[in-house]
């Protein structure tokens, strides 16, 4: 299953990135708004077994799909927020 685009079967190219995107969206939606920034989210994904490139690609795809938006603060950190579409996508996945 994939959040973005067509479903991806386990073992196919892009499966790990889709899995990382699903986990990242889960954390962004369920934690307080703006708690996650780019760097710590990548590190957290690396901590559960995803590579740096896979983690950063997953976050980029979430942004490109409109499921996550970024706000740049005065300190130049990139705060990640779930969009309405991102929340609907996450809760749609959680129900099914």
């Amino acid at each position: 299953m994939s959040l973005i685009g067509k479903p991806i079967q386990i073992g196919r190219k892009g499966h790990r990135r889709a899995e990382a995107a699903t986990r990242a969206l889960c954390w962004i939606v369920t934690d307080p708004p703006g708690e996650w920034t780019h760097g710590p989210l990548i590190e957290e994904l690396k901590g559960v077994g995803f590579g740096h490139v896979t983690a950063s690609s997953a976050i980029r795809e979430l942004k490109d799909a409109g499921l996550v938006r970024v706000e740049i603060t005065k300190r130049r950190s990139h705060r990640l927020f779930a969009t309405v579409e991102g929340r609907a996508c996450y809760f749609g996945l959680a129900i099914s």
Side-chain angles (χ1 to χ4, degrees):
M1 175 170 55
S2 174
L3 286 174
I4 305 157
K6 298 178 182 176
I8 300 173
Q9 294 177 346
I10 294 173
R12 301 284 300 224
K13 184 177 181 176
H15 176 260
R16 294 286 293 163
R17 186 176 58 244
E19 190 178 330
T22 302
R23 192 172 293 235
L25 184 63
C26 172
W27 292 334
I28 293 168
V29 168
T30 59
D31 288 345
E35 182 172 317
W36 288 104
T37 59
H38 221 80
L41 186 56
I42 289 172
E43 290 303 314
E44 191 72 22
L45 287 167
K46 286 170 61 177
V48 294
F50 297 102
H52 182 86
V53 173
T54 301
S56 59
S57 295
I59 295 167
R60 186 189 69 243
E61 285 188 7
L62 287 172
K63 292 188 297 186
D64 291 347
L67 302 176
V68 172
R69 67 180 171 82
V70 176
E71 282 186 11
I72 301 174
T73 65
K74 290 179 184 178
R75 293 184 173 192
R76 308 279 303 154
S77 65
H78 294 196
R79 297 252 173 236
L80 302 170
F81 294 88
T83 62
V84 172
E85 294 83 7
R87 289 183 178 284
C89 181
Y90 170 73
F91 289 113
L93 284 176
I95 292 171
S96 56

